[in-house]
Amino acid sequence: MGIYEELQARGLIAQVTNEEEIRDLVNRGEAKFYIGFDPTADSLHVGHFMALCLMKRLQMAGNQPVVLIGGGTGYVGDPSGRSDMRAMMTPETIQHNCDCFKKQMERFIEFGPDKAIMVNNADWLLKLNYIELLREVGACFSVNNMLRAECYKQRMEKGLSFLEFNYMIMQSYDFYHLHKTYGCNMQFGGDDQWSNMLFGADLIRRKLGEDAYAMTITLLMNSEGKKMGKTASGAVWLDPDKTSPFEFYQYWRNVGDADVLKCIRMLTFLPLEEIDAMDKWEGSELNRAKEILALELTRMVHGEEEARKAEEASRALFGGGANRENVPTTVLVPEDFTDGSVGVLDLLVKTGLAPSRGEARRLVQQGGVSLDDGKVSDPMARVSIDQFGKGDIMLRKGKKVFHRVTL
């Protein structure tokens, strides 16, 4: 089985423009491909996970990744999948986020001579003269065709700024520049990028001719990766300061029964034969599959030691064990108490289990908060300092989100 066939078997490919060409290129290890990452935050999240794993798999098969950091497109903001315009970031914030991305990506991708390369589209996009850009590539874009693109259609009713309208041109220019400058012959992206990627390949055809176009390949990744990026409480980050290794482990430990094997196929590097054998697992065996998924991915992001700590803490919590030291912890100081007690709502906000007192109140009223083994039903409930006599208390949101509080 070649790497292309393995990607298919793992469910990672949704659509391609030139299947025979891409099969031959990646199986021979001759693809020079790029995936773009806009620095919209100071950390990657699990929605980026599939792209990172895909790059790693293809690099292991001898292909060369080009990691494109969107230091230039970050000034505009991708309208795809958005109901409103992104907040404008300062140049300093964009650069800081780019630096954070690079550090995290080095855990997945091997950079260096004849290895992966990392480029920043700020290096060419910020130097473009507006009039020159319009003259060079403006005539290659049909406004009618752009407005038919799904990424724009969904925004037309609520409003699409002219700033965002230019995003497609900038992304297309990226592929044109990478192809011309680095010999990049392939682009990967999710389903929300399909129109942008096709426009990029067409720009190459119009500017460099049919021979150049014949060497550009667009591969659409399965959209499941994007769906994995968000939870009810927000993004699950790869930065341990934003999402602890324990919380990261728990996120994967708690995936639905119907999704666990799909995630193992797409995101882990376990042999397909081993995964196929899990297809017959049912009931309690699926919990074992979730533990395997959580351990493998936490190990990949946070290393062996942190992954094992997270596994032990999870088993201690759900198995009634006493070792809870690796559970996310908040330490209270005397100033947190008033007359020897602290309100449950304040505790939920301080631990980060609720973003505000209003949200904390809603959680309590809906029966979603427990303290140690008891449900909290009164939003005005308080926790006295005497309740920390055993050293700590365990605050729980819902059934699966735990937080340890100690003095």
Side-chain angles (χ1 to χ4, degrees):
M1 180 186 291
I3 183 61
Y4 184 81
E5 288 76 18
E6 181 178 345
L7 297 180
Q8 286 182 312
R10 290 183 179 273
L12 291 169
I13 299 177
Q15 189 174 349
V16 297
T17 54
N18 315 67
E19 184 166 42
E20 289 305 314
E21 288 89 341
I22 190 173
R23 185 193 307 274
D24 291 343
L25 271 176
V26 300
N27 283 346
R28 294 199 308 266
E30 297 176 0
K32 192 167 188 177
F33 65 97
Y34 97 89
I35 302 179
F37 301 82
D38 272 354
T40 55
D42 58 0
S43 172
L44 297 164
H45 57 68
V46 297
H48 298 112
F49 215 95
M50 184 177 295
L52 293 170
C53 292
L54 183 61
M55 297 183 98
K56 183 178 178 70
R57 292 182 203 280
L58 286 166
Q59 184 177 45
M60 290 169 63
N63 300 283
Q64 185 178 16
V66 177
V67 178
L68 175 64
I69 301 296
T73 42
Y75 278 76
V76 174
D78 184 1
S80 301
R82 301 280 301 185
S83 60
D84 54 5
M85 185 173 169
R86 295 180 186 273
M88 299 281 280
M89 295 186 294
T90 66
E92 293 77 17
T93 298
I94 291 172
Q95 185 58 53
H96 171 71
N97 293 351
C98 288
D99 295 340
C100 293
F101 274 26
K102 181 177 182 181
K103 188 179 300 183
Q104 290 179 339
M105 287 177 178
E106 288 173 344
R107 293 193 66 95
F108 295 85
I109 312 300
E110 187 177 357
F111 294 95
D114 300 322
K115 303 292 184 181
I117 61 173
M118 180 174 288
V119 295
N120 188 328
N121 61 18
D123 293 341
W124 56 89
L125 291 179
L126 298 187
K127 296 175 183 177
L128 292 173
N129 176 280
Y130 185 61
I131 299 299
E132 290 176 355
L133 176 65
L134 289 178
R135 288 179 60 85
E136 181 181 6
V137 303
C140 300
F141 290 84
S142 162
V143 172
N144 292 346
N145 289 338
M146 292 174 72
L147 290 175
R148 282 194 288 267
E150 197 63 38
C151 60
Y152 288 154
K153 281 167 58 179
Q154 62 188 7
R155 285 288 302 280
M156 293 303 291
E157 290 185 8
K158 292 190 175 182
L160 176 70
S161 69
F162 184 70
L163 175 70
E164 297 169 292
F165 189 65
N166 283 269
Y167 190 90
M168 180 182 288
I169 297 176
M170 296 176 72
Q171 182 171 332
S172 300
Y173 194 92
D174 283 342
F175 193 24
Y176 167 62
H177 177 87
L178 293 174
H179 179 75
K180 191 172 60 170
T181 307
Y182 297 97
C184 191
N185 54 20
M186 194 180 301
Q187 57 178 335
F188 288 9
D191 57 355
D192 59 336
Q193 300 296 312
W194 186 239
S195 298
N196 295 354
M197 294 191 294
L198 292 180
F199 270 87
D202 188 59
L203 177 60
I204 291 173
R205 178 181 67 82
R206 289 172 175 268
K207 296 296 296 181
L208 302 178
E210 292 290 344
D211 290 342
Y213 174 69
M215 287 303 294
T216 64
I217 292 172
T218 300
L219 183 146
L220 180 66
M221 292 183 292
N222 191 306
S223 61
E224 292 295 326
K226 288 284 183 181
K227 298 174 185 176
M228 294 172 188
K230 300 287 184 180
T231 67
S233 59
V236 176
W237 306 99
L238 306 193
D239 183 342
D241 292 330
K242 296 170 78 71
T243 299
S244 71
F246 173 80
E247 292 168 317
F248 188 84
Y249 179 96
Q250 284 299 113
Y251 173 79
W252 297 107
R253 174 63 180 79
N254 294 329
V255 299
D257 291 355
D259 295 328
V260 57
L261 290 181
K262 183 192 304 181
C263 291
I264 290 176
R265 273 198 179 83
M266 289 175 144
L267 302 176
T268 76
F269 286 78
L270 296 175
L272 281 170
E273 297 80 6
E274 184 177 335
I275 300 170
D276 289 340
M278 298 180 191
D279 278 333
K280 302 174 183 177
W281 289 10
E282 298 178 351
S284 61
E285 289 179 313
L286 288 178
N287 287 328
R288 174 59 186 147
K290 294 176 186 181
E291 289 180 342
I292 291 172
L293 171 67
L295 182 64
E296 289 292 322
L297 299 191
T298 308
R299 177 187 288 135
M300 197 185 308
V301 175
H302 297 295
E304 179 69 30
E305 182 179 357
E306 292 298 328
R308 290 297 179 186
K309 286 180 181 178
E311 181 184 50
E312 291 171 8
S314 179
R315 288 179 174 175
L317 280 175
F318 291 99
N323 182 14
R324 309 193 294 192
E325 62 182 18
N326 294 315
V327 177
T329 300
T330 293
V331 179
L332 300 183
V333 296
E335 290 75 18
D336 293 315
F337 294 86
T338 301
D339 296 330
S341 67
V342 58
V344 167
L345 301 187
D346 293 324
L347 210 52
L348 287 167
V349 173
K350 187 168 183 63
T351 58
L353 295 182
S356 66
R357 284 177 56 86
E359 178 64 17
R361 180 181 297 275
R362 186 188 67 81
L363 283 171
V364 172
Q365 291 172 336
Q366 293 180 351
V369 176
S370 297
L371 192 61
D372 285 334
D373 295 326
K375 185 82 70 176
V376 178
S377 57
D378 181 7
M380 301 305 294
R382 300 186 67 81
V383 181
S384 73
I385 200 167
D386 295 335
Q387 289 179 252
F388 291 87
K390 296 180 180 179
D392 63 23
I393 60 172
M394 190 64 69
L395 197 59
R396 189 176 75 198
K397 181 174 74 171
K399 294 181 179 180
K400 299 173 180 178
V401 181
F402 291 86
H403 199 99
R404 177 172 169 257
V405 186
T406 186
L407 296 180

